[in-house]
PDB file of all heavy atoms in Angstrom:
ATOM      1  N   GLN A 270      17.343   0.386 -14.745  1.00  0.00           N
ATOM      2  CA  GLN A 270      15.939   0.066 -14.582  1.00  0.00           C
ATOM      3  C   GLN A 270      15.391   0.888 -13.500  1.00  0.00           C
ATOM      4  O   GLN A 270      14.183   1.326 -13.667  1.00  0.00           O
ATOM      5  CB  GLN A 270      15.696  -1.477 -14.335  1.00  0.00           C
ATOM      6  CG  GLN A 270      14.283  -1.843 -14.198  1.00  0.00           C
ATOM      7  CD  GLN A 270      14.004  -3.354 -14.194  1.00  0.00           C
ATOM      8  OE1 GLN A 270      15.010  -4.068 -14.200  1.00  0.00           O
ATOM      9  NE2 GLN A 270      12.794  -3.739 -14.039  1.00  0.00           N
ATOM     10  N   GLU A 271      16.068   1.052 -12.522  1.00  0.00           N
ATOM     11  CA  GLU A 271      15.508   1.851 -11.350  1.00  0.00           C
ATOM     12  C   GLU A 271      15.343   3.373 -11.803  1.00  0.00           C
ATOM     13  O   GLU A 271      14.388   3.998 -11.456  1.00  0.00           O
ATOM     14  CB  GLU A 271      16.554   1.818 -10.188  1.00  0.00           C
ATOM     15  CG  GLU A 271      16.044   2.487  -8.891  1.00  0.00           C
ATOM     16  CD  GLU A 271      16.193   4.010  -8.806  1.00  0.00           C
ATOM     17  OE1 GLU A 271      17.160   4.461  -9.447  1.00  0.00           O
ATOM     18  OE2 GLU A 271      15.401   4.603  -8.047  1.00  0.00           O
ATOM     19  N   LEU A 272      16.299   3.857 -12.673  1.00  0.00           N
ATOM     20  CA  LEU A 272      16.168   5.207 -13.180  1.00  0.00           C
ATOM     21  C   LEU A 272      14.968   5.250 -14.127  1.00  0.00           C
ATOM     22  O   LEU A 272      14.167   6.325 -14.034  1.00  0.00           O
ATOM     23  CB  LEU A 272      17.511   5.618 -13.911  1.00  0.00           C
ATOM     24  CG  LEU A 272      18.595   6.166 -13.207  1.00  0.00           C
ATOM     25  CD1 LEU A 272      19.862   6.278 -14.080  1.00  0.00           C
ATOM     26  CD2 LEU A 272      18.181   7.574 -12.639  1.00  0.00           C
ATOM     27  N   GLN A 273      14.779   4.330 -14.939  1.00  0.00           N
ATOM     28  CA  GLN A 273      13.571   4.315 -15.827  1.00  0.00           C
ATOM     29  C   GLN A 273      12.331   4.350 -15.055  1.00  0.00           C
ATOM     30  O   GLN A 273      11.295   5.001 -15.425  1.00  0.00           O
ATOM     31  CB  GLN A 273      13.641   3.183 -16.842  1.00  0.00           C
ATOM     32  CG  GLN A 273      12.436   3.199 -17.755  1.00  0.00           C
ATOM     33  CD  GLN A 273      12.814   2.734 -19.154  1.00  0.00           C
ATOM     34  OE1 GLN A 273      13.901   3.043 -19.630  1.00  0.00           O
ATOM     35  NE2 GLN A 273      12.023   1.928 -19.774  1.00  0.00           N
ATOM     36  N   THR A 274      12.223   3.501 -13.944  1.00  0.00           N
ATOM     37  CA  THR A 274      11.028   3.466 -13.120  1.00  0.00           C
ATOM     38  C   THR A 274      10.769   4.890 -12.450  1.00  0.00           C
ATOM     39  O   THR A 274       9.634   5.310 -12.464  1.00  0.00           O
ATOM     40  CB  THR A 274      11.209   2.417 -12.059  1.00  0.00           C
ATOM     41  OG1 THR A 274      11.443   1.129 -12.666  1.00  0.00           O
ATOM     42  CG2 THR A 274       9.975   2.367 -11.119  1.00  0.00           C
ATOM     43  N   GLN A 275      11.851   5.481 -12.069  1.00  0.00           N
ATOM     44  CA  GLN A 275      11.735   6.812 -11.381  1.00  0.00           C
ATOM     45  C   GLN A 275      11.320   7.855 -12.378  1.00  0.00           C
ATOM     46  O   GLN A 275      10.430   8.643 -12.060  1.00  0.00           O
ATOM     47  CB  GLN A 275      13.087   7.227 -10.799  1.00  0.00           C
ATOM     48  CG  GLN A 275      13.106   8.469  -9.941  1.00  0.00           C
ATOM     49  CD  GLN A 275      14.486   8.797  -9.380  1.00  0.00           C
ATOM     50  OE1 GLN A 275      15.440   8.030  -9.453  1.00  0.00           O
ATOM     51  NE2 GLN A 275      14.634   9.991  -8.923  1.00  0.00           N
ATOM     52  N   ARG A 276      11.735   7.797 -13.610  1.00  0.00           N
ATOM     53  CA  ARG A 276      11.278   8.734 -14.780  1.00  0.00           C
ATOM     54  C   ARG A 276       9.812   8.543 -15.001  1.00  0.00           C
ATOM     55  O   ARG A 276       9.138   9.405 -15.116  1.00  0.00           O
ATOM     56  CB  ARG A 276      12.114   8.552 -15.896  1.00  0.00           C
ATOM     57  CG  ARG A 276      13.520   9.068 -15.809  1.00  0.00           C
ATOM     58  CD  ARG A 276      14.435   8.689 -17.085  1.00  0.00           C
ATOM     59  NE  ARG A 276      13.757   9.032 -18.292  1.00  0.00           N
ATOM     60  CZ  ARG A 276      13.719  10.257 -18.877  1.00  0.00           C
ATOM     61  NH1 ARG A 276      14.253  11.222 -18.222  1.00  0.00           N
ATOM     62  NH2 ARG A 276      13.041  10.446 -20.055  1.00  0.00           N
ATOM     63  N   LYS A 277       9.417   7.242 -15.181  1.00  0.00           N
ATOM     64  CA  LYS A 277       7.985   7.090 -15.501  1.00  0.00           C
ATOM     65  C   LYS A 277       7.113   7.515 -14.390  1.00  0.00           C
ATOM     66  O   LYS A 277       6.005   8.044 -14.579  1.00  0.00           O
ATOM     67  CB  LYS A 277       7.823   5.487 -15.716  1.00  0.00           C
ATOM     68  CG  LYS A 277       8.387   4.996 -17.002  1.00  0.00           C
ATOM     69  CD  LYS A 277       7.819   5.603 -18.236  1.00  0.00           C
ATOM     70  CE  LYS A 277       8.323   5.046 -19.450  1.00  0.00           C
ATOM     71  NZ  LYS A 277       7.876   5.669 -20.740  1.00  0.00           N
ATOM     72  N   SER A 278       7.549   7.258 -13.110  1.00  0.00           N
ATOM     73  CA  SER A 278       6.704   7.704 -11.976  1.00  0.00           C
ATOM     74  C   SER A 278       6.557   9.190 -12.035  1.00  0.00           C
ATOM     75  O   SER A 278       5.424   9.781 -11.675  1.00  0.00           O
ATOM     76  CB  SER A 278       7.414   7.267 -10.669  1.00  0.00           C
ATOM     77  OG  SER A 278       6.715   7.798  -9.579  1.00  0.00           O
ATOM     78  N   ARG A 279       7.595   9.880 -12.340  1.00  0.00           N
ATOM     79  CA  ARG A 279       7.640  11.427 -12.354  1.00  0.00           C
ATOM     80  C   ARG A 279       6.623  11.873 -13.455  1.00  0.00           C
ATOM     81  O   ARG A 279       5.817  12.706 -13.366  1.00  0.00           O
ATOM     82  CB  ARG A 279       8.931  12.043 -12.569  1.00  0.00           C
ATOM     83  CG  ARG A 279       8.958  13.526 -12.845  1.00  0.00           C
ATOM     84  CD  ARG A 279      10.329  14.033 -13.071  1.00  0.00           C
ATOM     85  NE  ARG A 279      11.086  13.372 -14.017  1.00  0.00           N
ATOM     86  CZ  ARG A 279      11.051  13.674 -15.355  1.00  0.00           C
ATOM     87  NH1 ARG A 279      10.153  14.515 -15.825  1.00  0.00           N
ATOM     88  NH2 ARG A 279      11.855  12.981 -16.186  1.00  0.00           N
ATOM     89  N   GLN A 280       6.843  11.146 -14.675  1.00  0.00           N
ATOM     90  CA  GLN A 280       6.091  11.747 -15.925  1.00  0.00           C
ATOM     91  C   GLN A 280       4.541  11.346 -15.716  1.00  0.00           C
ATOM     92  O   GLN A 280       3.733  11.973 -16.308  1.00  0.00           O
ATOM     93  CB  GLN A 280       6.609  11.003 -17.121  1.00  0.00           C
ATOM     94  CG  GLN A 280       7.905  11.312 -17.460  1.00  0.00           C
ATOM     95  CD  GLN A 280       8.615  10.440 -18.525  1.00  0.00           C
ATOM     96  OE1 GLN A 280       8.099   9.514 -18.910  1.00  0.00           O
ATOM     97  NE2 GLN A 280       9.845  10.933 -19.081  1.00  0.00           N
TER      98      GLN A 280
END
Side-chain angles (χ1 to χ4, degrees):
Q270 184 170 0
E271 191 276 333
L272 272 173
Q273 179 142 322
T274 302
Q275 187 177 348
R276 283 172 53 78
K277 291 296 182 183
S278 177
R279 170 180 58 80
Q280 292 169 353

